[in-house]
Amino acid sequence: MDWVEPMAKAGASSLTFHIESEMPEGGMKTLIAATKEKGMGVGLVIKPKTPAEAIFEYADDIDLVLIMTVEPGFSGQKFMPEMMSKVETLRQKYPKLNIQVDGGLGPSTIDEASKAGAN
């Protein structure tokens, strides 16, 4: 919650945060609502060990989901193709959801992400 007001004042159009992050009192739904009240879009990020189903509770309230295809924080990692099942699960359940992927993407992996349903 500490970042919502300053980001809005700075002109941010959206905030994207890890679902695994420490949440303010009231939890994720409170953070999503506070962000939207400031006129910003909301994105949720899930790490490789977090199941796609963790998004289900929030999917109708967010603008995008970002699937990490590497463990965040370490450069040079290889794309984790097994994360594409998360993309497929979310695309099947939420056909209009903006689904992004991040980590290890390049000419040899982008088609796999696209075929799984990533935008």
Side-chain angles (χ1 to χ4, degrees):
M1 292 282 278
D2 294 343
W3 290 99
V4 174
E5 183 72 28
M7 294 301 281
K9 283 184 179 177
S13 60
S14 65
L15 280 180
T16 303
F17 39 87
H18 284 265
I19 199 167
E20 304 89 357
S21 298
E22 186 176 318
M23 287 295 119
E25 187 174 325
M28 180 71 71
K29 291 218 179 234
T30 299
L31 183 54
I32 290 169
T35 304
K36 288 191 167 261
E37 283 174 15
K38 294 295 181 185
M40 293 181 285
V42 176
L44 294 181
V45 182
I46 56 174
K47 295 188 211 178
K49 292 180 183 170
T50 303
E53 291 78 9
I55 295 293
F56 291 2
E57 180 180 353
Y58 312 107
D60 292 331
D61 299 322
I62 62 174
D63 302 294
L64 72 92
V65 63
L66 175 62
I67 309 292
M68 294 300 301
T69 53
V70 297
E71 284 295 336
F74 306 98
S75 65
Q77 296 179 70
K78 298 223 184 280
F79 176 78
M80 299 168 77
E82 62 272 23
M83 295 302 108
M84 294 305 95
S85 64
K86 293 180 186 184
V87 175
E88 292 166 351
T89 295
L90 290 168
R91 177 59 62 224
Q92 213 169 34
K93 190 162 175 73
Y94 305 101
K96 295 184 180 193
L97 184 62
N98 183 356
I99 302 172
Q100 300 179 4
V101 292
D102 182 27
L105 289 161
S108 65
T109 56
I110 196 70
D111 285 342
E112 187 173 355
S114 179
K115 286 177 186 170
N119 298 92

